[in-house]
């Protein structure tokens, strides 16, 4: 896990625990948002909004079809932050 991924994970884990009302130790990269953590559509929406605010990314218009685990969420956030950092508008 690189530094960026580690930083995202350290902030995402307690966020997921709070939004889904589960203990932080239940939030592991392979935990499935719905099947393992019991997230419903409102939880997913709240997680999206909170992630956008916390990480400064926009999840609107992104393909979330392959996002089913907490690790997938972290990967998506890292990918979006990396894209934003390399955007000509960021300069």
């Amino acid at each position: 896990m690189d530094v960026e991924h580690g930083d995202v994970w350290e902030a995402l884990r307690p966020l997921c625990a709070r939004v889904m009302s589960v203990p932080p130790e239940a939030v592991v990269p392979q935990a499935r948002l719905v099947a393992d953590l019991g997230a419903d559509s409102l939880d997913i929406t709240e997680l999206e909004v909170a992630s956008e605010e916390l990480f400064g990314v926009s999840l609107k218009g992104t393909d979330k079809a392959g996002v089913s685990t907490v690790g997938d969420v972290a990967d998506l956030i890292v990918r979006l932050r990396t894209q934003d950092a390399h955007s000509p508008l960021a300069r």
Side-chain angles (χ1 to χ4, degrees):
M1 185 179 300
D2 61 24
V3 172
E4 174 79 7
H5 217 119
D7 291 346
V8 167
W9 177 250
E10 288 304 313
L12 184 61
R13 188 175 194 191
L15 176 64
C16 286
R18 181 183 57 78
V19 168
M20 290 167 227
S21 301
V22 297
E25 54 273 5
V27 182
V28 295
Q30 65 273 20
R32 296 169 295 176
L33 298 170
V34 176
D36 298 329
L37 301 179
D40 61 19
S41 59
L42 184 59
D43 293 331
I44 299 297
T45 300
E46 185 178 345
L47 182 62
E48 286 180 10
V49 171
S51 294
E52 287 180 343
E53 291 174 7
L54 182 61
F55 298 107
V57 297
S58 176
L59 299 174
K60 292 170 185 58
T62 60
D63 181 13
K64 296 182 264 319
V67 177
S68 62
T69 68
V70 179
D72 294 338
V73 174
D75 292 343
L76 176 61
I77 291 168
V78 169
R79 191 167 60 247
L80 290 171
R81 288 178 67 165
T82 302
Q83 287 172 356
D84 288 349
H86 292 105
S87 167
L89 299 175
R91 297 185 181 119

